[in-house]
Amino acid sequence: MKNSRVLFSVPYLIFMAVFVVFPLGLLFYYAFFVQGFSLERFGNYFSSADEMATLFRSIGFAFTAALFCILIGYPAALILARSRSKFVPFILLLLTAPMWVNGLLRTIALGELFASRGAFMVIIGLTMDYLPFMLMPIYLVLKNIDKAYLEASTDLGANKWTTFYKVVLPLSMSGIISGFLMVFTPAVSTYYLSAYLGDNTTFMLGEELNLMFTKNHDYSGGAVIAIVLLSFVLISFFITNWLSKLGNKRGGII
Amino acid sequence: MKKYLLWLPVVILLFFLYLPIISIVIKSFGNIESFGELFTSKKYIGAIANTFVIAIVSSLFATIIATMAVVGITKMGRRNKTATMIVNQLPIVNADIVVSFSLVLLFITLGIYNAGYLKLFFCHTLIALPFVLLTILPRMRQLDENLYDAALDLGATPFGAFWRVIIPQLMPAIVNGFLLGFTLSLDDFVITQYNNDGIHTISTVIYSAIAKKDIPNVFYALTTIIFGIILVGLCVYNFMFLRKRGKQK
């Protein structure tokens, strides 16, 4: 009778097995096992110059957008973390509120404001979409830095800039890294944003997967790209886990 | 003066984030009759209704499954718990398009083609479920471990203990989880686009309108209304709730 508790999670476990684990297994099946086991599709993928150009272009766009997010988000996060204003919680809510507006409509509205299309617009769009994901982790880390470290640094003769560079920045590194991953991972797989704000030189992985599915009906080819995208997710997942373990060891600062 | 200049990065950031939304609001007021159309036009009211019905049904379903799940998960052994939490994390971190594509493969494999709403109910439950679980789980951890066992010892059935003891304790987290699931479902585009079988939601109607380069003004009006409600809600929450809490301190 006392073990009846675990039984309550059975519907959840069945649901997750059917809709998460099994479909991910199917991706691998379609990529490797249709008509017998073969690595051919991956060989072809990684030796094709076109495919590699799309892969590195996607990485480049997502990386640049994440960098922009740091450049815009960090100063704002620092100001908000330092401020004693009672409006700070309200401003934080304001910063996340745009995410409640339909993402598709926001992208279209941004596109209508600017006449140009291309790589720059894609990066602006990605930056706008994912900025709150960068801001929040950095804000939380900065907020948790013990004030005593800053006082110690000043007492030891460091000026404001040295304190920032040698104390605050290293201590906030974990926030920057997790913010980076939270921006990079969804940005690298975007598809309607680059299709709408980009031109014929901004073809990205997400668009490619979409084409494979809607136009070519090439499920195995789609599965290969899906696995490439999945590997980005898994890498960032492990980095995040590693960071939080590191954080627990050091008492939660980093 | 210098004090206000310091806030410049925050102001720029807010301006940047709100630029498209301001443009949407201006557009909706430029076409004031679209607010009326929102409630009269049969063409779009179906998609709007679909969006809300799917969001309510799926997040309700997700909330029920997640609430039951946390009761068991907190009792699991360490390894099973870790494995469960990793699987729970997968759809959260995974790209929308990869999740959509894998669901397409699932439905092909199972031979489910024109299932109408049913497919979307399942897909949207999947969108909400991991987040709802993560919202309720911390609250369950805070509960006294012996509460459930005490209820059983006093003669309650497992279901009775769950319904009369656990659920009331978890209620605030359950409501939060439901609301989170509801918004996530409302906002989804990619997963719906791939698995809709001809059932349209706000997002898919907007998407098909992009190709025609003519976004129905109705959706700008709807966005203005929803965002207006959210902004007013945030203001009320901030200035009444937070102030009250400040006083209690």
Side-chain angles (χ1 to χ4, degrees), chain A residues 1-2 4-5 8 12 22 79 83 94 100-102 104-105 112 128 131 189 206 210 213 219 230 237, chain B residues 6-7 13 18 20 27 65 68 71-72 74 88-89 94-95 97 106 148 183 187 194 203 220 223 227 230:
Chain A
M1 246 344 216
K2 301 236 155 156
S4 60
R5 271 183 70 169
F8 277 110
Y12 167 81
F22 186 56
I79 291 163
S83 167
L94 273 186
W100 291 62
V101 172
N102 189 301
L104 207 52
L105 211 56
E112 284 176 344
M128 187 194 74
L131 242 176
S189 66
N210 186 45
F213 170 63
Y219 294 139
L230 191 64
F237 186 54
Chain B
L6 196 68
W7 283 89
L13 185 64
Y18 276 81
K27 262 192 214 318
I65 299 178
M68 290 173 66
V71 177
T74 41
N88 190 69
Q89 206 68 19
N94 212 344
I97 192 161
L106 172 75
Y148 179 85
T183 25
D187 202 38
Y194 271 55
S203 296
Y220 290 123
T223 305
F227 200 70
I230 289 167

Side-chain angles (χ1 to χ4, degrees), chain A residues 75-89:
Chain A
L78 190 65
I79 291 163
L80 288 169
R82 284 297 159 72
S83 167
R84 283 198 214 101
S85 163
K86 61 179 177 186
F87 289 107
V88 170

Side-chain angles (χ1 to χ4, degrees), chain A residues 124-164:
Chain A
I124 293 284
L126 289 173
T127 308
M128 187 194 74
D129 252 9
Y130 299 116
L131 242 176
F133 292 148
M134 180 64 80
L135 194 101
M136 293 316 281
I138 295 180
Y139 169 80
L140 289 174
V141 168
L142 286 173
K143 193 78 198 164
N144 283 329
I145 291 179
D146 194 336
K147 291 270 187 324
Y149 288 122
L150 309 182
E151 284 160 19
S153 169
T154 319
D155 289 346
L156 291 167
N159 63 27
K160 265 205 309 211
W161 291 110
T162 320
T163 304
F164 173 75

Side-chain angles (χ1 to χ4, degrees), chain A residues 12 40 54 110 141 157 238:
Chain A
Y12 167 81
E40 207 188 318
T54 307
L110 184 75
V141 168
F238 285 118

Side-chain angles (χ1 to χ4, degrees), chain A residues 1-2 4-9 11-13 15-16 18-24 26-27 30 72-73 75-76 79-80 83 85-91 93-95 97-106 108-110 112-114 124 127-129 131-132 135 160 185 189 191-192 196 206-207 209-211 213-214 218-220 222-223 225-226 229-230 233-234 237 241, chain B residues 6-7 9-10 13-14 16-21 23-24 27 61 65 68-69 71-76 84 86-91 93-95 97-98 101-110 122 125-126 129-130 133 140 145 148-149 152-153 157-159 162 183 186-187 189-190 193-194 202-203 206-207 210 215 219-220 223 227 230-231 234-235 237-239 242-243:
Chain A
M1 246 344 216
K2 301 236 155 156
S4 60
R5 271 183 70 169
V6 177
L7 289 179
F8 277 110
S9 42
Y12 167 81
L13 295 175
F15 190 92
M16 295 303 270
V18 174
F19 289 94
V20 178
V21 180
F22 186 56
L24 286 181
L26 282 175
L27 279 184
Y30 271 86
I72 305 172
I79 291 163
L80 288 169
S83 167
S85 163
K86 61 179 177 186
F87 289 107
V88 170
F90 182 62
I91 293 172
L93 284 175
L94 273 186
L95 287 170
M99 292 203 287
W100 291 62
V101 172
N102 189 301
L104 207 52
L105 211 56
R106 248 185 319 161
I108 294 166
L110 184 75
E112 284 176 344
L113 285 172
F114 298 91
I124 293 284
T127 308
M128 187 194 74
D129 252 9
L131 242 176
L135 194 101
K160 265 205 309 211
T185 325
S189 66
Y191 95 87
Y192 61 81
Y196 183 69
E207 278 175 84
L209 176 50
N210 186 45
L211 272 185
F213 170 63
T214 51
D218 176 3
Y219 294 139
S220 293
I225 298 167
L229 287 172
L230 191 64
V233 171
L234 292 180
F237 186 54
N241 259 2
Chain B
L6 196 68
W7 283 89
V10 179
L13 185 64
L14 277 171
F16 185 50
L17 286 174
Y18 276 81
L19 199 61
I21 293 168
S23 145
I24 290 173
K27 262 192 214 318
F61 200 39
I65 299 178
M68 290 173 66
V71 177
I73 287 173
T74 41
K75 196 72 177 173
M76 280 180 187
T84 310
I86 287 178
V87 172
N88 190 69
Q89 206 68 19
L90 279 172
V93 291
N94 212 344
I97 192 161
V98 176
F101 187 67
S102 72
L103 286 171
V104 169
L105 296 183
L106 172 75
F107 290 125
I108 289 175
T109 309
L110 297 179
F122 277 122
T125 304
L126 174 67
L129 184 56
L133 186 99
M140 184 69 205
E145 261 298 299
Y148 179 85
D149 292 339
L152 291 192
D153 288 343
T157 61
F159 185 75
F162 174 68
T183 25
L186 220 53
D187 202 38
F189 158 62
V190 185
Q193 172 75 9
Y194 271 55
I202 296 174
S203 296
I206 294 173
Y207 186 71
I210 297 178
I215 313 296
F219 294 116
Y220 290 123
T223 305
F227 200 70
I230 289 167
L231 270 192
L234 287 185
C235 290
Y237 172 81
N238 186 65
F239 291 107
L242 289 183
R243 187 160 293 176

Side-chain angles (χ1 to χ4, degrees), chain B residues 5 17 43 59 88 99 111 115 124-125 134 137 151 159 185 215 234:
Chain B
L5 258 175
L17 286 174
K43 205 169 152 198
S59 45
N88 190 69
V99 175
H124 280 245
T125 304
L134 285 187
L137 196 60
F159 185 75
S185 161
I215 313 296
L234 287 185

